[in-house]
Amino acid sequence: MPVLFLSATLFSACEKVNFGDDGGITERDSTGLTTGHVDKSDWGSDATWKKQELDLFKGLDLDLNGTQQGGVRDIILYPNPVATEAAFRVGQSGSATQFAWVMVDRKYKVVMKLINDARISGNGSGYSFDFSSLKKGETYRMYYVFHTGTNLVSKGHGDIKILD
């Protein structure tokens, strides 16, 4: 029995990001239009996160598995795959006034982040991301949280592939 417990513990500690079918990204061109595979789990709202995902946002004073107020819609990142720079657009931010994000590699190692600094307002908020420091040919996952103070508005994730 101890051997089984030990191997189960080691397996859970080595858990990797599952990007899903076809590489897990939603393919978009430089104008934001879809050009191929669409991953329906990306760029929306996630109901619950595992401890490993929750730990990425320890600095926020939020119950990340609590009730989401909602209203955040039309989130896209483009182009995807991306060479060096991408745009992140939120069509509607609901009642959120703050946006935090963390990007991880397939082993959940944090490669980029911005916690509790980016401000959003109303409709049509947009950001530009420089991914030139990331390894070419790799896929990464961006986790994001929209909130107002300690009120969770929405949280989710999206996968991003860096071109070779």
Side-chain angles (χ1 to χ4, degrees):
M1 281 288 193
V3 173
L4 290 176
F5 175 74
L6 178 61
S7 60
T9 303
L10 289 174
F11 177 74
S12 66
C14 298
E15 187 173 346
K16 294 182 179 170
V17 173
N18 177 2
F19 293 113
D21 299 334
D22 297 323
I25 69 167
T26 295
E27 296 174 346
R28 293 188 180 274
D29 67 15
S30 62
T31 65
L33 296 175
T34 56
T35 60
H37 180 261
V38 174
D39 183 342
K40 294 188 187 302
S41 73
D42 281 358
W43 313 114
S45 178
D46 295 341
T48 58
W49 280 348
K50 301 176 287 188
K51 182 180 183 327
Q52 202 163 17
E53 296 163 324
L54 296 169
D55 286 348
L56 297 171
F57 293 92
K58 281 183 181 177
L60 298 180
D61 185 22
L62 297 168
D63 177 5
L64 292 173
N65 279 338
T67 303
Q68 298 177 55
Q69 294 175 355
V72 178
R73 289 192 291 276
D74 305 322
I75 300 170
I76 64 172
L77 181 128
Y78 62 95
N80 197 7
V82 59
T84 56
E85 292 184 22
F88 181 84
R89 189 176 72 214
V90 181
Q92 242 181 353
S93 59
S95 62
T97 59
Q98 293 172 298
F99 165 59
W101 59 273
V102 175
M103 186 176 284
V104 299
D105 65 12
R106 68 177 55 251
K107 294 180 181 178
Y108 285 99
K109 178 184 171 208
V110 174
V111 295
M112 297 177 85
K113 71 178 178 178
L114 179 63
I115 301 292
N116 215 20
D117 285 349
R119 295 278 175 185
I120 61 175
S121 60
N123 298 331
S125 296
Y127 306 92
S128 180
F129 291 106
D130 180 356
F131 296 135
S132 61
S133 65
L134 299 179
K135 187 175 178 182
K136 294 184 182 322
E138 293 293 318
T139 302
Y140 297 89
R141 174 159 290 170
M142 176 188 282
Y143 289 97
Y144 49 84
V145 174
F146 294 91
H147 64 104
T148 298
T150 59
N151 295 315
L152 176 62
V153 177
S154 185
K155 72 177 190 300
H157 78 275
D159 299 328
I160 304 162
K161 180 168 177 66
I162 308 301
L163 287 172
D164 287 327

